[in-house]
Amino acid sequence: MSSQQYKTLKGMQDILPPDIFLWQKVEQTARQIFSTYGFQEIRTPVMESTSVFSRSIGESTDIVEKEMYTFTDKGDRSVSLRPEGTASVVRSYVENHLDKLPAPQKFYYAGPMFRYERPQSGRFRQFYQIGVEAFADSSPRMDAEVIAMLERLLSGIGLEGVSFQINSIGCGQCRPGYRDALLSFFSEKKEDLCDDCKRRYDKNPLRILDCKASTCRQQRQGAPRITDHLCEGCRTHFEKLQTLLSLLQISYSLNPEMVRGLDYYTRTTFEVTSQSLGAQNAVAAGGRYDRLVKEFGGPETPAIGFALGMERVIELLKLTALRSAPSPSVFFAVLGDAAGSACLVLAEQLRKQGRWVEVGDAASSLKSQMRRADRMAVRHVFIMGDDELRSGMLKWKNLAGAAQGEVKLSDMELFLAGQS
Ligand code: HAM
């Protein structure tokens, strides 16, 4: 059987150098920035009982209805690969009594998610998210802090040209009234909606507002706005958030049609989009979910979070950032077996100081070793043969700058420290 017969599954991909260096840069920057806001890492399994997702994300959402990788395991349990991170973190929060930790409890995660969607540019069946969830703080200050942290992360990794949109989708008190207003608005137009929205009309009419079908776009013109139906508590929360975002100098626009594709949200929702991406232009998204912990059997606990889509962020970075793959700082071109052994020892010493060191193959010619060093974009090449071993003087070459010279073997560490 030829290895060519094996390919990644549709909608899944390998992440290879040099792209992987961008991935690592984003992950490192996220960890660093999140730590300055007191967020700590949490790791949950990639697979959970199906009900963890279906009950929280919502039985009638696209994710649960059509997109989950669900199967029965050998113990006859229905399990699913996680389509997102929030439900698992809330499950863990309740199961491990994380509410007992000093409040607010703030977590982040990074890892693969799985949705059986129709693959297209920016949409995968295995994709990676970096997400955060903050528990036990209902204040709009926490909303502002989480949005500010996302903004810091995006600008920290050098992403430009993204825009923030925010909305409030109300709470258990005001949303039923809004739902009724929508139902009566669409009651005459129901037959002109797409098939999905005909079903949504009964199950979740808010979703009609972000349907992409042109007929639904047309039919919803003039629809009542959620922000005109907020109760006093939701309205002041949303106004305070806007004041705080302005104070933090975060630009945003209001999008009363942004309702999100997951059912657990209450009050604030937000999305970051980029003009440079195609149809799948949401780079990150999130919101408040003040009822979810209780629904999982935990104490009444407000919460808010977001997740960013790594593939989309990387796609954007590739448009702008210089892809600087790391390269070795030292390459030993070796002539003969004794020189090869001596360089092996030297390389170990330099690696202990955190340098990337490569040793050439003593069986290859000097020319082919130099070619290899050049291809790897090595900074310094040192040439070591029997003469150098005897004299303790090494010839070096800086491949990029074409500088060269000699250095005493015993001075090498000092020499390299001066060069970096
Ligand atoms: P979401 O909007 O479903 O929210 O996903 C967040 C981000 O994940 C999207 O904005 C997008 O960048 C990326 N994403 C989603 N699906 C795909 C896909 N098939 N391929 C590539 N990227 C994708 C959530 O998942 C919520 N858990 C966010 C959250 C956290 N809300 C509160 N806390």
Side-chain angles (χ1 to χ4, degrees), residues 63 67 83-87 109 113-118 120 122-129 131-133 260-262 264-265 270-272 280-289 304-313:
I63 295 180
E67 298 169 3
E84 57 108 50
T86 311
Y109 49 89
M113 308 292 159
F114 304 85
R115 295 185 194 175
Y116 195 83
E117 296 194 77
R118 197 169 48 79
Q120 62 181 80
R123 194 159 74 187
F124 298 88
R125 290 183 172 168
Q126 173 171 332
F127 60 98
Y128 287 74
Q129 286 186 342
V132 311
E133 315 292 350
R260 310 278 297 117
L262 306 100
Y264 50 61
Y265 291 112
F270 54 95
E271 232 169 61
V272 182
Q280 304 303 318
N281 65 353
V283 173
R288 222 171 229 295
Y289 49 95
I304 181 168
F306 68 74
L308 74 77
M310 281 293 283
E311 288 77 4
R312 298 183 191 175
V313 166

Side-chain angles (χ1 to χ4, degrees), residues 143-163:
D143 305 29
E145 204 170 299
V146 163
I147 292 174
M149 185 165 82
L150 176 56
E151 205 263 351
R152 281 274 315 281
L153 172 57
L154 297 177
S155 57
I157 57 178
L159 216 64
E160 287 158 8
V162 292
S163 32

Side-chain angles (χ1 to χ4, degrees), residues 149-298:
M149 185 165 82
L150 176 56
E151 205 263 351
R152 281 274 315 281
L153 172 57
L154 297 177
S155 57
I157 57 178
L159 216 64
E160 287 158 8
V162 292
S163 32
F164 278 74
Q165 296 184 352
I166 63 169
N167 191 23
S168 172
I169 58 165
C171 66
Q173 201 185 323
C174 50
R175 209 178 310 152
Y178 176 62
R179 191 175 184 277
D180 289 346
L182 272 186
L183 287 177
S184 85
F185 176 82
F186 284 115
S187 65
E188 304 278 280
K189 306 165 184 279
K190 193 177 165 189
E191 288 316 305
D192 298 316
L193 298 173
C194 75
D195 286 348
D196 277 343
C197 283
K198 281 190 189 116
R199 279 186 297 117
R200 287 173 184 146
Y201 179 86
D202 295 311
K203 289 184 170 172
N204 188 357
L206 267 74
R207 294 292 320 282
I208 302 173
L209 295 178
D210 74 349
C211 177
K212 305 276 186 289
S214 61
T215 160
C216 300
R217 280 176 201 265
Q218 225 165 15
Q219 295 306 322
R220 68 174 173 250
Q221 281 184 16
R225 295 179 156 210
I226 176 82
T227 36
D228 295 330
H229 286 75
L230 296 178
C231 62
E232 180 61 17
C234 288
R235 198 174 48 76
T236 48
H237 185 100
F238 195 41
E239 281 170 4
K240 180 78 184 174
L241 169 62
Q242 293 175 58
T243 311
L244 292 171
L245 290 180
S246 302
L247 199 67
L248 291 167
Q249 298 185 314
I250 294 173
S251 15
Y252 62 88
S253 55
L254 299 177
N255 180 358
E257 291 191 342
M258 188 228 300
V259 292
R260 310 278 297 117
L262 306 100
D263 279 356
Y264 50 61
Y265 291 112
T266 50
R267 293 195 164 172
T268 310
T269 55
F270 54 95
E271 232 169 61
V272 182
T273 54
S274 162
Q275 294 278 349
S276 314
L277 291 170
Q280 304 303 318
N281 65 353
V283 173
R288 222 171 229 295
Y289 49 95
D290 290 344
R291 292 185 311 204
L292 197 55
V293 175
K294 184 96 192 285
E295 279 170 22
F296 269 83

